[in-house]
Amino acid sequence: LLLWYFLLFGENMNGTIIWLTGLSGAGKTTIVQALEPHLTALGRAVEVLDGDAVRETLSKGLGFSKEDRDTNIKRIGFVANLLAKNGVTVLVSAISPYRDARREVLETAKQNGVKTLEVFVDAPLEVVAERDVKGLYKKALAGEIKHFTGVSDPYEAPLAPDLHLCTDQQPLQASVQAILERL
Ligand code: ADX
């Protein structure tokens, strides 16, 4: 009976948190959007927590001071953990510039028996500023936005990420494939 129970529930209880960190415009959201259908096709329950979207709901009103960013990451981490404990594969895309905040969330997840994958979505500042999808780098470089990550605010790159994707050097599908292989 125990074996039956384990086979039925034991392996499937815990989900996974795939945490994408990196500068604005590095490609986090794009990768998540391309990855999601692959995971759904594998029969996984998938949820996405995207910094931009979260800041319109759960983190509405928060700014970009270190304190507010850490609060944002704690909230995202809290929800990600609740979902992952119930078997969901959670895709997080948030700049999450502070190492300690990321570590705290991912360590809590591991303690809950949740699998974690810290993915560093990396592209040089010159490249993301050139892409400037949202026009924010232009403003930040002109001094119109204070505390902009990578320009006038810190970004602490992961020292030992589970995956390091250089989005200026490989196509989107290669990044998606790399994550799928790590899973
Ligand atoms: S985080 O630092 O708290 O993880 P998050 O990923 O939620 O940030 O939000 C980042 C998004 O907010 C950016 O993609 C950009 O659209 C917007 N944004 C507005 N102001 C800033 C700023 N000062 N620094 C970084 N991103 C900003």
Side-chain angles (χ1 to χ4, degrees), residues 8-177:
L8 204 55
F9 298 111
E11 289 235 80
N12 296 324
M13 285 297 275
N14 288 318
T16 306
I17 297 176
I18 305 173
W19 192 286
L20 282 73
T21 173
L23 295 177
S24 180
K28 303 180 296 297
T29 303
T30 305
I31 291 172
V32 160
Q33 284 171 355
L35 178 63
E36 187 184 8
H38 287 276
L39 297 173
T40 308
L42 290 171
R44 293 190 182 222
V46 185
E47 290 289 347
V48 174
L49 292 167
D50 183 77
D52 275 315
V54 167
R55 281 176 171 277
E56 283 172 17
T57 51
L58 183 66
S59 287
K60 198 173 176 71
L62 289 184
F64 292 91
S65 64
K66 179 177 190 303
E67 196 185 1
D68 278 7
R69 290 183 198 260
D70 283 350
T71 302
N72 182 40
I73 296 316
K74 274 187 189 150
R75 289 181 187 174
I76 294 174
F78 179 79
V79 177
N81 265 298
L82 288 182
L83 291 166
K85 272 197 290 184
N86 285 286
V88 176
T89 299
V90 187
L91 308 180
V92 176
S93 53
I95 298 178
S96 43
Y98 296 106
R99 234 170 248 142
D100 280 350
R102 294 194 302 265
R103 187 190 312 136
E104 200 179 301
V105 167
L106 295 177
E107 262 172 23
T108 304
K110 282 176 200 159
Q111 280 162 16
N112 286 332
V114 165
K115 272 187 257 167
T116 66
L117 208 61
E118 189 185 26
V119 182
F120 179 22
V121 183
D122 189 11
L125 182 64
E126 307 84 73
V127 173
V128 294
E130 176 68 30
R131 288 180 190 159
D132 208 9
V133 188
K134 300 172 190 163
L136 293 173
Y137 282 100
K138 190 165 177 273
K139 289 186 184 161
L141 288 164
E144 289 163 28
I145 307 174
K146 304 253 176 298
H147 301 290
F148 197 83
T149 307
V151 176
S152 46
D153 216 49
Y155 176 73
E156 299 175 355
L159 299 174
D162 297 301
L163 260 179
H164 185 166
L165 306 174
C166 295
T167 60
D168 61 321
Q169 290 166 31
Q170 62 178 27
L172 174 61
Q173 285 315 319
S175 295
V176 170
Q177 203 53 46

